[in-house]
């Protein structure tokens, strides 16, 4: 009995991977074996960095809140401790936005917690 090979599925799989490799440089975009490894590594980076993006934004917010609080003579940790003690339900994202773009609103929060 002849060997059955599902070349339709194989071609579709290769096409899908090469489509994902669109925009890659050199042989990574059009050679199957190289593209397959490049796409697999790219997927790993994408998964990892979706988590890392959240950490990076939180660090950015903390930096902005710290800079805003120091203008009024408080450190970040003192400010956040007093915000929690006064039951102000604003998260770091909102506080950072206020510190950057709405300084008068941030100043009123600082004066309230002092």
């Amino acid at each position: 009995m002849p060997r059955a090979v599902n070349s339709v599925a194989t071609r579709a799989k290769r096409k899908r991977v090469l489509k994902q490799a669109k925009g890659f440089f050199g042989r990574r975009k059009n050679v199957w074996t190289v593209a397959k490894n490049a796409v697999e590594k790219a997927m790993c980076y994408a998964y990892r960095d979706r988590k890392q993006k959240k950490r990076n934004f939180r660090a950015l917010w903390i930096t902005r809140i710290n800079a805003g609080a120091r203008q009024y003579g408080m450190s970040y940790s003192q400010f956040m401790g007093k915000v929690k003690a006064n039951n102000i339900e604003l998260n770091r994202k909102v506080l950072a936005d206020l510190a950057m773009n709405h300084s008068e609103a941030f100043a009123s929060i600082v004066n309230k917690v002092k």
Side-chain angles (χ1 to χ4, degrees):
M1 194 164 131
R3 180 168 153 253
V5 181
N6 192 354
S7 61
V8 176
T10 303
R11 170 61 49 204
K13 180 180 174 185
R14 288 183 180 181
K15 234 175 127 174
R16 186 171 64 243
V17 169
L18 288 172
K19 189 176 179 186
Q20 288 177 312
K22 185 180 176 190
F24 287 9
F25 188 79
R27 290 192 305 168
R28 295 163 68 96
K29 71 174 170 279
N30 55 11
V31 175
W32 159 245
T33 51
V34 182
K36 179 172 58 99
N37 293 333
V39 166
E40 190 176 322
K41 191 164 192 174
M43 293 287 196
C44 290
Y45 284 144
Y47 177 80
R48 180 197 71 187
D49 291 340
R50 279 195 298 275
K51 315 288 183 261
Q52 219 156 38
K53 186 164 90 170
K54 295 165 180 63
R55 295 178 216 157
N56 291 338
F57 268 104
R58 186 181 169 97
L60 176 68
W61 298 332
I62 288 170
T63 304
R64 287 179 174 176
I65 294 168
N66 189 24
R70 286 191 186 275
Q71 289 178 338
Y72 301 99
M74 297 176 78
S75 69
Y76 168 79
S77 60
Q78 291 169 340
F79 175 72
M80 289 307 288
K82 290 180 180 179
V83 164
K84 298 294 180 205
N86 286 304
N87 295 323
I88 297 174
E89 297 287 327
L90 294 176
N91 60 17
R92 286 168 181 81
K93 181 178 179 180
V94 173
L95 286 171
D97 183 54
L98 291 175
M100 282 289 293
N101 302 320
H102 308 284
S103 56
E104 64 283 344
F106 189 75
S108 66
I109 293 172
V110 172
N111 292 332
K112 187 175 181 186
V113 299
K114 271 191 175 178

